[in-house]
Amino acid sequence: MDMPCIPCSGAAPPLHTPTPTPSSQGEHRLTEPRLSKISLRGSLDASGAPDPCISPATAWTLGEGTPVTPPGALQAEMATKMDVSPAAVPPGPGKTLQKQWLEVVGVFHYVFAFLFLVPFAMVLLLFLLFTRLWPLSVLYLMWIYLDRDTPSQEGRQIMWTKRWRIWKHQRDYFPIKLVKTAELPPSQNYVLGAHPHGILSTGAFSNFLTESNDFSQLFPGLQPWLAMLSGLFYVPFFREYIMMHGLRPVSLTSLDFVLSQPQRGQAVVIVIGGAQEALYTTPGQHSLELLNRKGFVRLALRHGASLVPVYSFGENDTFRCKAFSKRSWQYLCQVTCKRVTSIAPCIFWGRGLFSHKSCGLLPLPVPITTVVGGPIPVPQCSSPSEEQVDHYHRLYMDALERLFEEHKESCGVPASTHLTFY
């Protein structure tokens, strides 16, 4: 619904300056005010010409209602001072109300699938057992048993799911970016270590299992496979959903099968920190569970697959989390639950579904930048020694740390921040 026209108000008021906000590390970060249109038309009509009913000085407002100079006026002022034409200054970003809701729906689909589909599917199966439809539950359980080896072998990936439009809406919600720093020739297999785990590993899923950022064009000839908790491939209905998107169990049998294929260019993506690293998820912190995680190095050595470090900047900032001290009883309960169920019970919250000012389970719209490092050549050795494993593990950690240091400032991380390994 269009709002009524607002009469011209004269000169534009001064810009609202960013205010520093204290972060969890005692630093100060500038919080930029978010611009939003007061009308669905903004200051342009359908043909792109300025709307005569709306003054350029009042066409844009801050989220809190404070008027500011619109991007068009700012561009004109900049062009005048720099002695260039206004067309040379890029236009300010803007999203329609429909686009914003499509992005929310895209993110809600992802959150619902990975947080609620598992318990929903299990409750549905048990419920059917006590109804006249109980044969359906029995037949499906038999199907899971007979089909138990499929996830660890060829799987059932459906390629067209990678190009669902909903993934691009999810990408734009944050937004999510994919950065390539080196060539990964398809004549070689790869083991990509994805960091950090965060809450939902949104960056790894969006960039490697969907075409939202054109992975196949950026890395032609590579076939990515994202490994996840093996037990989830026994959950009814959910197993079919994750298999069709190209997820695989993070088991020795599953990963050996992929890297043993005669066709080269297989890229296994492993979130190395796993559920334990999810417990370290804190906005502004970059703590990784890696010192004693060496299984991925042994896997690479057995198949001669190059190791590739990957870091998703902003992954830990998509949710606000409650982290407990390692000496607290709360942390002990989390670790105990993780050992029994392989799932870490994290306490986290984001924004609400209908309002960004309320609390809910939608992630915060924080930019996520996934940076793919260069390959570390690894020789093929069917029975690698501990010395070999330790050597290439150290090379990998050094490469990951260099990748973080080289790109952290361009991704909004303070220069004083460093990786912490556990």
Side-chain angles (χ1 to χ4, degrees):
M1 179 180 297
D2 289 345
M3 296 181 65
C5 296
I6 298 177
C8 298
S9 58
L15 282 172
H16 178 75
T17 56
T19 55
T21 57
S23 67
S24 57
Q25 296 178 324
E27 301 158 349
H28 286 76
R29 296 177 294 182
L30 293 179
T31 302
E32 293 290 345
R34 178 171 295 181
L35 297 176
S36 60
K37 291 187 178 180
I38 63 172
S39 169
L40 295 182
R41 295 175 300 166
S43 59
L44 301 179
D45 61 15
S47 63
D51 191 328
C53 295
I54 300 179
S55 167
T58 59
W60 294 76
T61 61
L62 287 176
E64 296 79 13
T66 306
V68 299
T69 306
L74 287 178
Q75 294 166 12
E77 182 181 355
M78 291 170 59
T80 303
K81 293 181 178 181
M82 298 175 63
D83 196 25
V84 296
S85 64
V89 184
K95 297 179 182 179
T96 64
L97 184 61
Q98 180 185 12
K99 172 61 175 173
Q100 293 179 37
W101 272 108
L102 287 173
E103 292 176 5
V104 169
V105 170
V107 174
F108 177 77
H109 157 260
Y110 182 76
V111 172
F112 176 83
F114 284 92
L115 291 183
F116 302 108
L117 190 56
V118 172
F120 176 80
M122 297 181 70
V123 169
L124 176 62
L125 194 70
L126 291 174
F127 172 77
L128 292 178
L129 283 173
F130 297 96
T131 67
R132 289 180 296 179
L133 300 177
W134 64 266
L136 294 179
S137 294
V138 174
L139 289 174
Y140 188 74
L141 289 174
M142 293 175 60
W143 162 254
I144 292 179
Y145 175 77
L146 296 175
D147 194 53
R148 64 188 181 277
D149 294 331
T150 300
S152 299
Q153 295 179 359
E154 65 276 4
R156 270 194 297 273
Q157 185 179 15
I158 303 175
M159 299 304 296
W160 65 269
T161 61
K162 293 176 174 286
R163 292 178 170 82
W164 281 357
R165 186 65 184 175
I166 198 171
W167 302 130
K168 293 189 180 294
H169 293 311
Q170 177 178 297
R171 173 202 65 188
D172 296 338
Y173 174 86
F174 291 95
I176 301 174
K177 297 180 181 180
L178 179 61
V179 177
K180 174 184 178 180
T181 63
E183 294 293 335
L184 299 181
S187 58
Q188 176 70 31
N189 288 340
Y190 302 93
V191 175
L192 282 69
H195 311 271
H197 183 284
I199 297 298
L200 296 177
S201 299
T202 308
F205 181 92
S206 297
N207 285 312
F208 297 119
L209 288 189
T210 78
E211 284 295 314
S212 60
N213 279 318
D214 300 321
F215 176 88
S216 61
Q217 297 181 22
L218 205 58
F219 298 96
L222 292 191
Q223 172 60 56
W225 302 91
L226 181 60
M228 69 181 303
L229 187 64
S230 302
L232 295 177
F233 289 86
Y234 294 96
V235 177
F237 310 116
F238 183 75
R239 68 190 297 272
E240 318 299 339
Y241 176 85
I242 58 180
M243 272 198 295
M244 77 178 191
H245 285 95
L247 286 129
R248 301 187 62 84
V250 61
S251 63
L252 184 62
T253 304
S254 171
L255 303 183
D256 279 341
F257 180 87
V258 173
L259 296 177
S260 300
Q261 296 301 304
Q263 182 179 1
R264 312 298 284 179
Q266 305 295 326
V268 175
V269 184
I270 306 174
V271 185
I272 297 172
Q276 179 63 36
E277 192 170 274
L279 297 177
Y280 307 150
T281 302
T282 303
Q285 300 291 333
H286 300 270
S287 302
L288 306 180
E289 182 72 19
L290 187 58
L291 291 178
N292 296 317
R293 300 292 176 104
K294 301 179 181 180
F296 72 102
V297 179
R298 293 187 179 91
L299 175 70
L301 283 167
R302 284 199 308 272
H303 296 277
S306 298
L307 292 168
V308 181
V310 178
Y311 199 90
S312 293
F313 294 90
E315 185 71 55
N316 284 346
D317 301 326
T318 56
F319 287 98
R320 298 183 180 93
C321 306
K322 177 61 177 177
F324 298 102
S325 170
K326 288 191 173 183
R327 298 180 180 180
S328 64
W329 65 268
Q330 295 96 331
Y331 180 81
L332 179 61
C333 291
Q334 288 177 313
V335 172
T336 303
C337 182
K338 183 187 71 68
R339 290 175 180 173
V340 174
T341 65
S342 299
I343 298 176
C346 302
I347 300 177
F348 63 93
W349 64 95
R351 53 154 290 184
L353 178 62
F354 300 103
S355 173
H356 68 278
K357 297 181 179 180
S358 60
C359 293
L361 291 179
L362 281 188
L364 304 175
V366 179
I368 300 176
T369 304
T370 301
V371 183
V372 181
I376 303 171
V378 174
Q380 186 172 5
C381 181
S382 56
S383 300
S385 64
E386 289 301 317
E387 290 76 12
Q388 287 178 306
V389 173
D390 291 340
H391 171 69
Y392 286 100
H393 185 261
R394 171 50 59 184
L395 290 180
Y396 177 86
M397 290 182 61
D398 292 342
L400 176 62
E401 197 163 15
R402 285 196 304 271
L403 184 72
F404 180 85
E405 294 295 329
E406 290 173 2
H407 295 272
K408 63 181 181 181
E409 292 186 62
S410 63
C411 295
V413 177
S416 59
T417 304
H418 303 285
L419 286 179
T420 302
F421 297 104
Y422 291 107

